[in-house]
Amino acid sequence: MKVVADSMIWVSYFLDPNLFRCRVLEEAFDQRVRFFASDYLIEEVVKAVISKLEAGSRYGVRIRHRLKRQTRLVKLPDQIPRHVPDDPGDDPIVETAIRADADYLVTADKKVLKLKKIGNVKIITAAE
């Protein structure tokens, strides 16, 4: 199974190992789910975690390295197509899932969840 987890899911993973989203990721790792990410997604996660923890850039390097170890990188095109009408900032995350030919995009973003499916990618919550 191929999955893209959005930045909110990864941020939860790095902030608190007791959160439900973290446990879902850990279970997926145990079941050998293949995760995909883009440089855009990784940088979004790094910025959010550093900001929330008020951590330095060295911590960002560790997060970046860990994400690159746990995911396979896909390259995004220079021009990202529009996918999320209400929030163009989410388009690169959706495009990451499309480029990865993912089975699922796991997100907590209500605007992205409204899409339900794009191409062959089903858009679901961590609980689903």
Side-chain angles (χ1 to χ4, degrees):
M1 178 184 327
K2 299 187 326 187
V3 174
V4 170
D6 80 355
S7 53
M8 287 187 277
I9 305 297
W10 287 110
V11 168
S12 296
Y13 176 75
F14 287 110
L15 291 180
D16 187 348
N18 297 314
L19 291 176
F20 173 74
R21 292 176 188 165
C22 181
R23 292 193 316 267
V24 167
L25 281 177
E26 289 294 339
E27 186 175 320
F29 296 146
D30 290 345
Q31 300 205 11
R32 305 226 188 269
V33 170
R34 292 181 291 164
F35 283 93
F36 291 79
S38 60
D39 285 328
Y40 176 90
L41 182 104
I42 290 172
E43 290 310 311
E44 195 171 78
V45 172
V46 169
K47 287 177 196 171
V49 172
I50 286 175
S51 171
K52 289 187 185 290
L53 292 179
E54 298 178 5
S57 61
R58 287 181 64 206
Y59 192 65
V61 169
R62 288 178 30 210
I63 292 170
R64 192 176 292 109
H65 179 71
R66 189 161 177 195
L67 275 170
K68 286 185 177 185
R69 254 191 4 251
Q70 291 179 305
T71 64
R72 295 179 186 180
L73 284 178
V74 296
K75 183 164 175 37
L76 295 179
D78 293 332
Q79 293 283 4
I80 305 292
R82 291 299 314 267
H83 299 293
V84 187
D86 298 337
D87 192 353
D90 290 327
D91 290 337
I93 306 301
V94 174
E95 188 66 19
T96 298
I98 292 168
R99 295 286 168 158
D101 194 26
D103 298 303
Y104 298 98
L105 169 57
V106 181
T107 185
D109 189 307
K110 290 180 176 142
K111 293 175 185 174
V112 176
L113 284 166
K114 281 202 282 190
L115 297 174
K116 296 188 192 287
K117 187 175 184 182
I118 189 148
N120 293 325
V121 181
K122 293 177 186 167
I123 301 170
I124 62 172
T125 65
E128 292 173 301

